[in-house]
Amino acid sequence: MSDSLLITGAAQILTLRGGVPRRGSSLSKLGFIRDGALLVRDGKIVAAGPRAQVEKRAEARRAEKFDVGGRVVLPGFVDSHTHLIHAASRAEEYELKIQGASYEEIARKGGGILNSAKKLRIATAEALKRRARAALEEFAAHGTTTVEAKSGYGLDVASELKILGLHRELNAEQPLEIVSTFLGAHTVPAEFRSLPDGAERYIKLLVEQLLPEVVNNRLAEFCDVFCDRGAFTREESKRVLSEGKLHGLAPRVHAEQLSHTGATRLAVELEAASCDHLEQVNARDIWALANSRTAATLLPGCGFHLGLKQYAPARKLIEAGAIVALATDYNPGTSPTMSMPMILSLACTQLRMTPAEAIAAATINAAYALRREKRIGSLEAGKQADLAVFEVEDYREIPYYFGMNRCWMTMKRGEIIYMRD
Ligand code: NIG
Ligand code: FE
């Protein structure tokens, strides 16, 4: 059998080739090919282009053929913001929210992140892994091939290390790529809240005990902080992110989700890889992001799940020239979804992004937000053969259909990891 694979029969291939990152009008450039073909060898793309051109290559003639039957092919989604490891849903809080309680009220009463931390601390690593593996299969079934995963429901040394260790094991044991982020600064844990200077003491523990363990054991690549009302202040966030950076962990920030704290400008100042949420940004924040290399990652699943009216100003960010990316923010409190296509639907209807912009934001710009744009995020010669095939005739139908899954096949490094029955 040949080691090369020739993929043909695509009504449309969205290559997403071209300059990275995408800003402004370049966000809608999909590198569209009608009746295209892809040649894959050893998990990498050898050629992507019009079928007639790719088929001329001697290697293409010898390759095993795979016809995708008139469907649409695009790069696998890169989900650059998830809280993959958690013990259980928070359906009990969902019901309270529907009855009128706010996310912050629930958190103040010991619900929210603290509720998830309580559940995670008593969960075994096996149970957590089983749940995460099931979630990863669901991500793959919706066309996602790379998933960033944050710790942050442990909030003590052993539990945070348990989560980060699982990121590593899962990365090795199943096909999706897991990008690990240390989010010890998700909230101040319950046992520190009753102490004088509790936040200060918890940060000391994070910086002096946890961070060196994380770095020495190479358990994370990024460091994140939830900088918001009820979580960490701008100054506290700066301390954690700067220490992380000194230890070689690139910053990412949960910024301006519930209130305006100045987290966006902190992210820009620290040259963060990405600054996420941004529902409460102001004109100066937008300007700062537009003039930076920090990605602006929007998470419309949160507004949808919490039933909020306020979404991030995507149009203003795009028009100003910010590097807009999209992610699920898969987590039990604000965005329990593994579906990037659903996020694209929300990006179109709620953020007023076009289908093309949403697709670029969920692939090439998301790869940039994870500092992997040289390897993933587009279908170009030399890149990893990470792709999704959708049961649609036109790419605009990917966000157009919602609440149902049109993904037909997902491939990671040239291997089929999901195929609809
Ligand atoms: O991204 N905002 C902070 N972290 C999560 C929610 C965490 C939770 O409620 O469990 C988010 O929305
Ligand atoms: Fe988050």
Side-chain angles (χ1 to χ4, degrees), residues 225-229 231-234 237 253-256 261 263 266:
V225 174
F226 183 18
C227 180
D228 216 318
R229 192 164 64 195
F232 294 92
T233 65
R234 190 183 183 283
S237 303
V253 188
H254 278 71
E256 336 291 6
T261 61
L266 173 66

Side-chain angles (χ1 to χ4, degrees), residues 339-414:
S339 170
M340 273 301 237
M342 178 66 191
I343 296 303
L344 300 193
S345 297
L346 293 172
C348 292
T349 59
Q350 308 304 306
L351 304 181
R352 300 277 150 202
M353 291 171 71
T354 64
E357 288 172 337
I359 288 171
T363 54
I364 191 64
N365 271 8
Y368 171 87
L370 292 183
R371 301 202 163 160
R372 278 166 169 68
E373 72 279 7
K374 294 205 166 65
R375 210 151 45 73
I376 57 175
S378 66
L379 302 177
E380 294 176 272
K383 281 205 161 175
Q384 240 169 249
D386 289 8
L387 54 96
V389 182
F390 273 74
E391 179 88 74
V392 293
E393 290 168 17
D394 181 305
Y395 73 86
R396 289 172 293 197
E397 291 172 359
I398 299 173
Y400 165 87
Y401 287 109
F402 72 95
M404 60 199 289
N405 188 16
R406 305 302 291 169
C407 183
W408 181 74
M409 185 193 84
T410 309
M411 189 175 263
K412 180 73 185 172
R413 298 186 182 98

Side-chain angles (χ1 to χ4, degrees), residues 79-126:
D79 196 342
S80 62
H81 183 142
T82 87
H83 302 252
L84 176 67
I85 308 278
H86 51 266
S89 92
R90 298 214 302 266
E92 68 282 16
E93 294 181 5
Y94 180 58
E95 193 169 33
L96 293 175
K97 281 175 211 149
I98 291 163
Q99 290 164 339
S102 76
Y103 177 75
E104 288 179 274
E105 275 159 26
I106 292 170
R108 274 196 298 274
K109 291 186 186 140
I113 297 168
L114 292 181
N115 178 0
S116 287
K118 211 187 288 168
K119 292 175 180 167
L120 186 135
R121 287 174 178 183
I122 55 173
T124 63
E126 291 68 36

